[in-house]
Amino acid sequence: MTKRATFKYFKTSPEIIRLAVILHSGFPLSLPNVEDLLHERGIDVSHETIRYWWNRFGQVFASEIRKRRIEGMRSSLWRWHVDEVFVKINGKRHYLWRAIDHLVRSQCGFLQVRTGQVSD
């Protein structure tokens, strides 16, 4: 978590600043869209304020996320498995293999047309 001293001279709470920066950088949202989303939640800030927060705190939050992601990959919690599925494409049956990590993100995929055949 970001140190409290980072937000020392800001009267807005760190949670709101973090939410605004993550909404803008983590999703394909423009600054006015983020402003509208925050306004719907009762938080009244301008898009220029969000831009300022993004310039000021974006790198701090990104480095925190990167650190947590690397620590998580080093721990024993990082797991992956191979998912096998039959898929019909244009009426033909195909075999789809995917490597999926513990966050259910597909790492790579392989589509095989023939299944169950013995090679020579």
Side-chain angles (χ1 to χ4, degrees), residues 49-100:
T49 305
I50 298 168
R51 184 190 58 79
Y52 176 73
W53 291 342
W54 183 72
N55 286 334
R56 172 95 186 238
F57 299 111
Q59 288 297 325
V60 174
F61 295 152
S63 64
E64 281 181 14
I65 291 169
R66 217 174 287 119
K67 274 187 214 173
R68 272 191 264 139
R69 194 173 284 168
I70 289 170
E71 288 170 3
M73 290 176 76
R74 288 183 183 159
S75 73
S76 62
L77 297 175
W78 195 78
R79 303 212 191 302
W80 63 275
H81 69 277
V82 176
D83 185 26
E84 310 165 29
V85 177
F86 281 104
V87 180
K88 274 194 176 181
I89 302 174
N90 292 332
K92 292 184 179 178
R93 201 171 186 189
H94 295 68
Y95 204 57
L96 175 66
W97 300 70
R98 294 183 303 166
I100 299 176

Side-chain angles (χ1 to χ4, degrees), residues 16 36-45:
I16 292 173
D36 292 340
L37 283 172
L38 292 175
H39 183 70
E40 288 174 2
R41 288 165 176 78
I43 304 165
D44 201 19
V45 294

